[in-house]
Amino acid sequence: FLFFVCCRALIFPLLIREGKPTPFFTFVLALLFCVFNGYLQGRSLTTYATYPPGWLGDSRFITGFLGFLIGMAINIHSDHILRNLRKPGETGYKIPRGGMFEYVSGANFFGEILEWFGFALACCTIESLAFALCTLFILSSRARQHHK
């Protein structure tokens, strides 16, 4: 979870060559959401969640953790494809090819949705499920827009 947040918040923005600037208000809202969600997830896992002995060997945890890792790999690879669609100075819309883009038009969104449902399964908390569902609703509407 922490690795993904670091990648998304620190590494990914540094890798973007150029693009449309993000409005400051949008940035502040995204920052507040991430801080609140991170607190909620961390608090849930460290204070309220209880797991039986051997939980790390349980099929729910293993399946969820693998889903999280596969989703993260899809997301990172899809972001790489998207970042390299245009050559420096080039503009215009391009259709991404390769990776999961061969199967879904919003591969980056698909990867992130898979990632957070894997996290929810591995954690088995209402907070992680709520975040996975929010991710599904928000990113599926963005994916639909991008597909059109």
Side-chain angles (χ1 to χ4, degrees):
F1 180 75
L2 185 58
F3 175 75
F4 174 80
V5 171
C6 287
C7 282
R8 182 55 71 198
L10 302 173
I11 297 169
F12 180 74
L14 295 174
L15 294 174
I16 297 174
R17 291 185 208 150
E18 44 184 271
K20 295 181 228 167
T22 300
F24 183 72
F25 185 68
T26 302
F27 167 76
V28 170
L29 287 178
L31 178 67
L32 290 174
F33 174 81
C34 289
V35 167
F36 178 72
N37 182 57
Y39 170 78
L40 185 65
Q41 298 301 327
R43 180 72 184 225
S44 166
L45 292 172
T46 59
T47 306
Y48 303 110
T50 56
Y51 299 101
W55 176 251
L56 298 180
D58 187 279
S59 61
R60 291 168 292 180
F61 176 81
I62 293 169
T63 303
F65 186 65
L66 287 174
F68 178 82
L69 291 178
I70 292 167
M72 185 190 312
I74 291 169
N75 194 1
I76 290 170
H77 184 252
S78 300
D79 283 345
H80 173 76
I81 291 171
L82 290 171
R83 278 193 314 274
N84 293 297
L85 274 177
R86 294 188 276 294
K87 294 177 176 57
E90 195 175 32
T91 60
Y93 183 79
K94 292 205 172 188
I95 296 175
R97 302 278 184 223
M100 286 298 294
F101 285 108
E102 299 299 319
Y103 305 100
V104 293
S105 58
N108 52 328
F109 300 130
F110 171 74
E112 192 155 347
I113 291 167
L114 176 60
E115 197 172 337
W116 295 119
F117 271 94
F119 179 78
L121 182 59
C123 295
C124 284
T125 64
I126 193 72
E127 294 84 1
S128 60
L129 177 60
F131 181 59
L133 289 171
C134 284
T135 301
L136 172 67
F137 296 136
I138 292 168
L139 294 185
S140 62
S141 69
R142 289 186 64 199
R144 197 174 14 256
Q145 285 176 320
H146 283 247
H147 182 76
K148 288 179 181 178

